[in-house]
Amino acid sequence: GDCPAGGKLQGQWPAGSPWVTGVGGTVGGTRETPEHAWKGSAGGFSNRWPQPTYQRQHVKDYFGSAMMVVTGPLRMLLPASDRYNGSNCGFPDVSAQADDFLVIDRGELLSVAGTSCSSPTFSGVVSLLNDIRLQANKSTLGFLNPLFYKHPSIFNDIVEGSNRAGGRCGDRGFPASKGWDPVTGLGTPNFPKMEALVRSLK
């Protein structure tokens, strides 16, 4: 999130709302450079919304894993605890690639990056999943978060990288970790697993 005057991390809107599916960003994904959190990916905890029940165990596991990181105690890498409310809604929920997207602006080919790239990418995946449902004469998926948090194995878990706060909140961000984390969420889409799941649902 942002860091306004006072040094308190400010959760992004609307990604920090429990009523939307917030999308973070990743980069990499080759044999030489494994997919990892994009350093500009917003993430953290809302200052307004309480933690939804579907997310509670995942957040608890994230902070519990803080003592189990090979490179050192993860808790030492987190932003200072008085700068965010870890008992509120965490975000993002999921993530997708966010770098090296090509766009044409006034006839010029440009490379762009950001969650403004990863969000529509993830939306496209959801559209494909809904199309699979409709072709089978089933309903669309509707509100996604409870389903996603119930089936985290349909995502590629991102365990490397972090975002960063900057400004008055210093350079510490939230590190990626096994399972859900407040920089890449549950991870990036594993489409074959997603497809199998949505086909199996009534």
Side-chain angles (χ1 to χ4, degrees):
D2 293 330
C3 192
K8 295 284 187 180
L9 288 165
Q10 180 66 45
Q12 295 281 353
W13 172 264
S17 167
W19 303 111
V20 302
T21 301
V23 183
T26 62
V27 294
T30 66
R31 186 173 299 176
E32 295 78 16
T33 307
E35 189 173 22
H36 57 281
W38 177 55
K39 64 183 180 181
S41 180
F45 295 88
S46 171
N47 289 334
R48 173 180 296 181
W49 300 104
Q51 204 168 94
T53 54
Y54 59 73
Q55 190 187 63
R56 286 177 187 165
Q57 187 59 48
H58 295 270
V59 175
K60 181 179 179 181
D61 290 344
Y62 175 72
F63 286 113
S65 69
M67 307 297 290
M68 303 294 292
V69 178
V70 175
T71 56
L74 178 62
R75 60 187 175 86
M76 298 302 293
L77 303 177
L78 294 169
S81 60
D82 62 348
R83 290 178 173 168
Y84 64 94
N85 186 348
S87 64
N88 273 359
C89 181
F91 71 99
D93 301 294
V94 297
S95 55
Q97 285 282 311
D99 196 24
D100 288 335
F101 280 69
L102 295 179
V103 299
I104 297 177
D105 180 23
R106 299 177 186 178
E108 184 178 357
L109 190 64
L110 302 174
S111 177
V112 297
T115 49
S116 55
C117 299
S118 60
S119 291
T121 297
F122 194 90
S123 296
V125 171
V126 174
S127 293
L128 292 174
L129 296 175
N130 279 330
D131 187 56
I132 290 170
R133 299 273 300 168
L134 292 172
Q135 290 187 45
N137 293 317
K138 296 180 179 181
S139 65
T140 53
L141 293 172
F143 183 47
L144 299 168
N145 292 3
L147 176 68
F148 287 168
Y149 280 89
K150 186 177 180 180
H151 300 279
S153 63
I154 63 174
F155 295 91
N156 302 310
D157 193 9
I158 308 301
V159 298
E160 297 182 12
S162 68
N163 54 17
R164 58 184 181 184
R168 300 176 182 86
C169 285
D171 292 329
R172 290 183 183 178
F174 292 97
S177 182
K178 183 176 176 60
W180 177 89
D181 57 68
V183 57
T184 64
L186 295 166
T188 56
N190 185 317
F191 192 79
K193 290 184 178 181
M194 286 182 155
E195 179 181 7
L197 175 63
V198 301
R199 287 188 184 279
S200 71
L201 299 174
K202 291 183 179 180

